[in-house]
Amino acid sequence: MEEVLALVEARLRTALGEPDARAAVTFLGTDRIEVLRFTEADVVRYATLGMSAQPMADPTAVLADPVKGPRAELVLTVRAGLADTDKVLRLLAVLAASPQVEGVVVAPGASLDLGEPLWPGAPFSSVLVAESGGLVEDLELDAPRDPVRFLPLLPMTPNEAAWKRVHGAQALQERWLNAGTDLRDPLRRSVTLD
């Protein structure tokens, strides 16, 4: 476990630079989850560290495999200085602990609902999990372990989350793309949905 997390942190540092802050949260019955903050020019990136220590298990499986199974960390990118986005640290730790606490497998296309704003005044209370491999490359581990995927989180307004449930993740991402939506804007409005 410690070896995996050391490799994950090294990959994050290689891709994003040195973190300028880190916070740790431990939930009852779970491993410790850290959230690292990376600041670069006008953007702030938050990355979880600890979610990938154990593989995510299929909630229908009788026994969880301690070696095989998907592994991931979460990455959120927002524009700096527009909102008090550091309050998202605790909520990111909650999301990262959800595979251990709730037995869910976090995968691209999934919606994760927090039930509260991501930060004070945020128009978002849920996120869309995007495909890995862009900002931070997947981290290959020795077989038979699955690679660690660094999954970007895209904040969604309640209207976007409801629309996504009906039309799917791909349709919402196309809507954002066609509208030129700045998904890093921590104060952005909902994309036009019809």
Side-chain angles (χ1 to χ4, degrees):
M1 180 172 109
E2 296 301 320
E3 169 211 357
V4 170
L5 294 185
L7 292 170
V8 167
E9 185 167 355
R11 175 59 53 95
L12 286 168
R13 288 172 183 265
T14 299
L16 306 176
E18 287 299 310
D20 62 357
R22 66 193 309 146
V25 180
T26 304
F27 301 98
L28 187 63
T30 67
D31 296 326
R32 171 183 159 119
I33 302 287
E34 289 187 87
V35 180
L36 310 181
R37 184 182 71 192
F38 301 87
T39 305
E40 176 191 332
D42 67 337
V43 296
V44 179
R45 292 188 172 94
Y46 302 94
T48 62
L49 179 62
M51 182 177 173
S52 62
Q54 304 293 332
M56 292 181 273
D58 181 343
T60 62
V62 177
L63 289 174
D65 190 316
V67 178
K68 292 183 182 176
R71 295 174 188 257
E73 296 291 352
L74 308 174
V75 181
L76 173 69
T77 303
V78 293
R79 296 221 176 278
L82 301 177
D84 187 10
T85 56
D86 280 352
K87 302 289 187 199
V88 78
L89 295 171
R90 183 185 62 79
L91 293 176
L92 283 177
V94 168
L95 292 178
S98 63
Q100 290 181 54
V101 175
E102 299 171 22
V104 298
V105 175
V106 177
S111 299
L112 303 176
D113 193 341
L114 293 153
E116 64 182 276
L118 292 178
W119 48 82
F124 320 106
S125 58
S126 62
V127 292
L128 174 64
V129 181
E131 291 287 342
S132 67
L135 184 62
V136 184
E137 286 185 37
D138 294 346
L139 174 64
E140 296 295 329
L141 300 175
D142 294 336
R145 296 183 294 184
D146 288 20
V148 176
R149 304 201 185 287
F150 297 89
L151 302 172
L153 299 179
L154 308 175
M156 293 188 292
T157 66
N159 286 346
E160 291 169 339
W163 197 85
K164 182 258 176 193
R165 280 192 293 277
V166 173
H167 299 282
Q170 184 66 36
L172 179 59
Q173 289 178 304
E174 287 173 11
R175 190 60 66 115
W176 282 334
L177 186 62
N178 292 338
T181 306
D182 181 1
L183 296 172
R184 295 177 175 183
D185 182 351
L187 302 173
R188 76 171 177 83
R189 296 180 180 270
S190 181
V191 70
T192 303
L193 305 166
D194 49 17

